[in-house]
């Protein structure tokens, strides 16, 4: 893990120097982090993850302003899918760092929506401990932000919720493609 952490710090430093260069390989980097580094419970790994987020994510957020919102959604999905593997005491700090680096207007509602999906998956598998952890996280996570940011996120969350069809949709239908 130490070699992996050092390589992530090199990538973070490289992102500070040339964000466009790192942007093209950012998704595999964060997929790797989600699968390995954020699961580590040592302080150095936590520092590495935060450094990587604060150095690499701004380039991604900048690209999102030019229509590459799919990359942000993939990034957030990668982190949220690894949520249960993140040490409990690091979750709020990690996701707050991610949300603030991306910009609260782009990310809070998506993080909460993706956590909601994780909640449903855990509930369907009768993993009530995971459900409770997600609810506790969402409560603590929102407390970090201002009331305006919370209300904005709630509105965007509800707008996103309204897009969900009432009935199942066929995968090859136009409705599915539009989602």
């Amino acid at each position: 893990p130490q070699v992996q952490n050092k390589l992530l710090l090199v990538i973070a430093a490289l992102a500070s120097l040339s964000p466009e260069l790192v942007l093209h390989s950012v998704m595999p980097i964060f997929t790797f982090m989600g699968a390995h580094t954020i699961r580590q419970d040592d302080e150095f790994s936590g520092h590495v993850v935060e450094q990587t987020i604060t150095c690499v994510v701004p380039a991604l957020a900048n690209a999102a302003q030019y229509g590459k919102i799919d990359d942000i959604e993939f990034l957030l999905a990668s982190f949220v899918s690894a949520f249960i593997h993140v040490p409990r005491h690091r979750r709020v700090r990690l996701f707050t760092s991610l949300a603030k680096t991306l910009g609260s207007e782009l990310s809070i509602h998506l993080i909460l929506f993706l956590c909601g999906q994780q909640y449903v998956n855990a509930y369907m598998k009768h993993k009530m401990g995971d459900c409770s952890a997600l609810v506790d996280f969402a409560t603590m996570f929102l407390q970090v932000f201002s009331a305006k940011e919370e209300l904005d996120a709630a509105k965007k969350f509800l707008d996103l919720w309204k897009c969900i069809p009432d009935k199942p949709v066929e995968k090859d239908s136009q409705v599915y493609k539009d989602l």
Side-chain angles (χ1 to χ4, degrees):
Q2 297 303 323
V3 172
Q4 296 166 351
N5 286 343
K6 298 231 186 234
L7 286 173
L8 285 171
L9 287 175
V10 168
I11 291 168
L14 184 59
S16 298
L17 298 172
S18 179
E20 296 80 26
L21 181 66
V22 174
L23 186 60
H24 298 295
S25 56
V26 76
M27 288 306 122
I29 292 167
F30 282 111
T31 302
F32 170 79
M33 280 177 58
H36 301 286
T37 307
I38 65 173
R39 296 173 185 233
Q40 303 300 318
D41 197 13
D42 62 286
E43 199 60 38
F44 183 62
S45 293
H47 168 74
V48 168
V49 170
E50 285 194 35
Q51 274 301 113
T52 306
I53 287 171
T54 57
C55 293
V56 175
V57 169
L60 189 61
N62 190 36
Q65 292 176 342
Y66 300 104
K68 293 196 171 198
I69 195 73
D70 291 346
D71 288 346
I72 288 181
E73 290 171 357
F74 180 82
L75 170 72
L76 292 175
S78 296
F79 274 87
V80 173
S81 66
F83 171 87
I84 216 68
H85 303 291
V86 176
R88 194 176 285 257
H89 63 278
R90 287 183 42 207
R91 291 174 181 164
V92 172
R93 186 172 165 189
L94 172 73
F95 283 92
T96 299
S97 175
L98 187 58
K100 287 185 175 186
T101 303
L102 278 171
S104 60
E105 67 284 348
L106 279 176
S107 58
I108 297 173
H109 67 289
L110 292 173
I111 291 170
L112 293 175
F113 188 82
L114 292 167
C115 284
Q117 287 179 321
Q118 291 293 320
Y119 180 93
V120 169
N121 291 336
Y123 185 83
M124 298 298 285
K125 295 175 183 173
H126 304 288
K127 294 183 174 183
M128 296 306 142
D130 291 356
C131 291
S132 178
L134 284 158
V135 170
D136 291 345
F137 163 76
T139 303
M140 291 185 292
F141 175 67
L142 281 173
Q143 290 174 355
V144 173
F145 299 96
S146 70
K148 182 187 178 316
E149 289 170 313
E150 288 178 21
L151 289 172
D152 183 49
K155 182 192 177 308
K156 288 180 179 178
F157 179 89
L158 291 173
D159 290 344
L160 193 56
W161 187 259
K162 288 177 192 175
C163 294
I164 299 173
D166 294 332
K167 297 176 183 160
V169 177
E170 296 294 324
K171 284 190 176 185
D172 54 347
S173 71
Q174 187 60 42
V175 174
Y176 184 85
K177 291 175 186 171
D178 291 342
L179 289 174

